[in-house]
């Protein structure tokens, strides 16, 4: 793995060539959908020629292929957008470019970011960086794997219900899902607008902090953005940390619990207090998520009609045009979510499902707010198991959804959550712990992770 400092002060052209070479060498992992080689080299040449360097001058990175970026199509891993060339760049990419960072490629994902293994990509799955028979995690699987393989020091992802945190833990890297609204969503393919967040993968907490600081802040194109609050923080001594009881049950893999307990020991030995806490409502979090998120998906994906963007099917009538374009453009999981979403929003079921889920979500937010008045940070696993085998859950959506049970709460409540590598299972698979904090405490979470980096 590499870190940002390995690329600072070196020629940008050399950095880009090195990253592209590494990407080509690791082709078998299928972590990338495209390289943006030509544009990257052009930018690198210009950066080498300029006197005033940005905070990420000449540092190569990779973006998940649902970020609008120049140099290659933005496919969202779907047939729909297979040939879609972005007319503009995402705010997050623009901000990184202002500081001199160079996007060298687009990473694989579950189509439209629906999934938890990258097996829903129209173009085939990404393989886990540590064990090629296992999934990369998802939906930002490609971004996690390129970071873990050392192709680039950081990569961008989106996290709507765990898509940064889960693949980060499956591949042994840091992953941050920031506070909702911390980074502009402008120019990123929408999934569920009330939980979509933009974050990154990195190999250490300081790099994640730097990248987030560059990307964060108000954007007039996204009314939900907050002012930048990513000022680099020092760790607060003697924090009170709550272990979420509902995440440490017998159903959770023993190795996963062991790695959380190891991290807890580190927290205690560095002067923090750790106690068990309980949020009984968590048992409904997955149900809330899989009502609210499909509802928003069905609304956001209505724009893919075969007329406005991307692929248009041959058809004799307008309804055929919609139907055939969508049939070919979406994968099964996209269709499933559009159907569930349309169902829970339909007039006969709206009150029974969607409204109930929204009311329950408010109760969950209240429960977390209350807990975070007494505790600085909440801790638990990221997922119930380490990376599973390719094909193990792909044919059973419910099994796949169940692996999101520990990540969706921070998404529904808009709270920042990070996945921190915390060792390996006996068979060598990476495991991560999840730290959750109050809204806008992102830098504090990273500071805590940083302070323990040496000892993990
Ligand atoms: N695995 C979750 C889902 O399928 C999370 C997806 C995401 O965060 N984009 O919805």
């Amino acid at each position: 793995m590499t870190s940002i400092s390995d690329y600072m002060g070196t020629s940008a052209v050399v950095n880009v060539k090195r990253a592209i070479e590494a990407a080509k060498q690791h082709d078998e992992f299928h972590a990338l959908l495209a390289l943006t080689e030509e544009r990257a080299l052009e930018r690198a040449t210009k950066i080498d020629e300029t006197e005033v360097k940005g905070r990420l001058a000449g540092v190569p990175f990779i973006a998940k292929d649902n970020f609008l970026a120049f140099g290659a199509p933005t496919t969202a891993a779907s047939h729909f957008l297979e040939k879609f060339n972005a007319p503009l760049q995402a705010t997050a990419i623009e901000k990184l470019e202002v500081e001199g960072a160079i996007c060298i490629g687009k990473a694989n994902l579950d189509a439209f970011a629906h999934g938890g293994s990258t097996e829903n990509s129209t173009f085939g799955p990404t393989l886990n960086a540590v064990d090629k028979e296992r999934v990369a995690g998802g939906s930002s699987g490609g971004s996690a794997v390129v970071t873990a393989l050392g192709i680039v020091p950081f990569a961008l992802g989106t996290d709507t219900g765990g898509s940064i945190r889960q693949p980060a833990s499956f591949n042994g890297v840091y992953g941050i899902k920031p506070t909702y609204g911390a980074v502009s969503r402008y120019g990123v393919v929408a999934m569920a607008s009330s939980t979509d967040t933009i974050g990154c993968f990195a190999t250490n907490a300081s790099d994640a902090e730097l990248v987030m600081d560059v990307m964060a802040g108000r954007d007039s194109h996204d009314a939900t953005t907050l002012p930048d609050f990513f000022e680099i923080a020092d760790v607060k001594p003697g924090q009170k940390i709550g272990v979420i009881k509902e995440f440490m049950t017998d159903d959770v893999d023993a190795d996963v619990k062991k790695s959380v307990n190891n991290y807890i020991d580190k927290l205690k030995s560095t002067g923090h207090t750790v106690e068990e806490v309980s949020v009984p409502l968590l048992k409904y979090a997955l149900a809330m998520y899989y009502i609210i998120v499909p509802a928003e998906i069905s609304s956001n994906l209505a724009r893919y009609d075969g007329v406005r963007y991307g692929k248009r099917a041959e058809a004799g009538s307008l309804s055929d045009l919609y139907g055939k374009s969508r049939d070919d453009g979406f994968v099964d999981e996209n269709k499933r979510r559009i159907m569930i979403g349309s169902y829970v929003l339909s007039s006969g079921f709206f009150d029974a499902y969607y409204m109930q889920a929204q009311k329950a979500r408010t109760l969950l937010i209240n429960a977390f707010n209350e807990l975070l008045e007494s505790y600085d940070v909440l801790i638990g696993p990221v997922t119930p198991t380490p990376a599973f085998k390719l094909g193990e859950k792909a044919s059973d959506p419910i099994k796949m959804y169940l692996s999101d049970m520990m990540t969706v709460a921070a998404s529904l409540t808009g709270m920042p959550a990070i996945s921190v590598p915390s060792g390996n299972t006996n068979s060598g698979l990476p495991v991560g712990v999840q730290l959750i904090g109050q809204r806008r405490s992102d830098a504090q979470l990273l500071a805590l992770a940083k302070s323990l980096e040496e000892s993990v």
Side-chain angles (χ1 to χ4, degrees), residues 72-283:
T74 298
T75 70
S78 71
H79 273 316
F80 236 127
L81 298 178
E82 202 170 348
K83 299 196 174 80
F84 178 71
N85 282 304
L88 50 89
Q89 296 207 104
T91 299
I93 304 254
E94 289 284 322
K95 287 192 165 192
L96 288 166
E97 288 198 348
V98 167
E99 293 294 346
I102 304 172
C103 179
I104 65 135
K106 304 297 293 292
N108 199 10
L109 65 150
D110 289 297
F112 288 99
H114 304 172
S117 67
T118 312
E119 292 168 291
N120 290 336
S121 166
T122 304
F123 309 115
T126 295
L127 312 185
N128 186 284
V130 176
D131 179 345
K132 281 186 257 179
E133 287 177 9
R134 291 179 186 267
V135 298
S139 62
S140 317
S143 301
V145 169
V146 293
T147 311
L149 292 174
I151 295 171
V152 280
F154 76 93
L156 304 188
T158 57
D159 189 314
T160 302
S163 279
I164 290 177
R165 290 162 282 159
Q166 187 250 35
S169 78
F170 280 6
N171 293 282
V173 294
Y174 284 77
I176 168 158
K177 175 207 104 67
T179 299
Y180 178 78
V183 179
S184 170
R185 292 174 287 121
Y186 184 66
V188 179
V189 176
M191 177 176 166
S193 305
S194 80
T195 68
D196 281 351
T197 57
I198 311 301
C200 72
F201 296 88
T203 62
N204 60 80
S206 311
D207 283 359
E209 195 168 47
L210 172 57
V211 172
M212 295 310 292
D213 189 31
V214 168
M215 293 197 297
R218 283 278 305 144
D219 178 12
S220 58
H221 294 298
D222 177 354
T224 62
T225 46
L226 302 165
D228 185 6
F229 49 80
F230 262 92
E231 72 291 343
I232 313 291
D234 283 332
V235 66
K236 223 172 76 189
Q239 298 192 35
K240 224 174 133 190
I241 293 164
V243 191
I244 303 174
K245 181 178 148 199
E246 286 74 13
F247 290 174
M248 296 291 273
T249 62
D250 291 344
D251 299 335
V252 178
D253 185 278
D255 279 333
V256 170
K257 278 198 281 193
K258 201 171 85 193
S259 78
V260 175
N261 285 327
N262 283 344
Y263 204 81
I264 290 172
D265 289 343
K266 303 254 156 71
L267 285 164
K268 286 184 179 159
S269 67
T270 44
H272 305 290
T273 318
V274 185
E275 287 169 13
E276 188 179 83
V277 297
S278 170
V279 189
L281 262 177
L282 275 172
K283 63 172 176 289

Side-chain angles (χ1 to χ4, degrees), residues 389-449:
K389 289 252 168 78
L390 284 154
E392 194 181 320
K393 301 187 182 187
S395 58
D396 186 342
I398 303 286
K399 259 197 201 161
M400 193 69 89
Y401 298 168
L402 281 170
S403 56
D404 301 331
M405 61 188 278
M406 293 154 179
T407 46
V408 296
S411 300
L412 289 165
T413 57
M415 284 162 182
I418 64 176
S419 178
V420 181
S422 66
N424 295 318
T425 64
N426 285 340
S427 52
L429 296 174
V431 188
V433 297
Q434 181 173 209
L435 303 177
I436 304 175
Q438 182 51 281
R439 273 181 294 276
R440 302 179 200 234
S441 71
D442 311 45
Q444 269 301 329
L445 290 182
L446 288 168
L448 180 63

Side-chain angles (χ1 to χ4, degrees), residues 273-350:
T273 318
V274 185
E275 287 169 13
E276 188 179 83
V277 297
S278 170
V279 189
L281 262 177
L282 275 172
K283 63 172 176 289
Y284 303 115
L286 207 57
M288 296 172 211
Y289 178 86
Y290 276 102
I291 290 172
I292 294 167
V293 166
E296 295 185 23
I297 286 172
S298 72
S299 166
N300 273 329
L301 268 54
R303 76 191 68 178
Y304 303 104
D305 55 5
V307 178
R308 281 173 288 188
Y309 308 94
K311 196 153 191 145
R312 177 177 301 193
E314 293 283 331
S317 69
L318 186 62
S319 70
D320 250 17
L321 171 70
Y322 289 164
K324 284 189 178 160
S325 301
R326 287 173 173 156
D327 189 30
D328 183 49
F330 290 133
V331 301
D332 285 354
E333 186 59 29
N334 305 142
K335 295 175 193 168
R336 188 174 294 121
R337 292 181 188 218
I338 292 169
M339 285 192 285
I340 295 171
S342 308
Y343 178 82
V344 300
L345 289 176
S346 61
S347 58
F349 300 103
F350 182 86

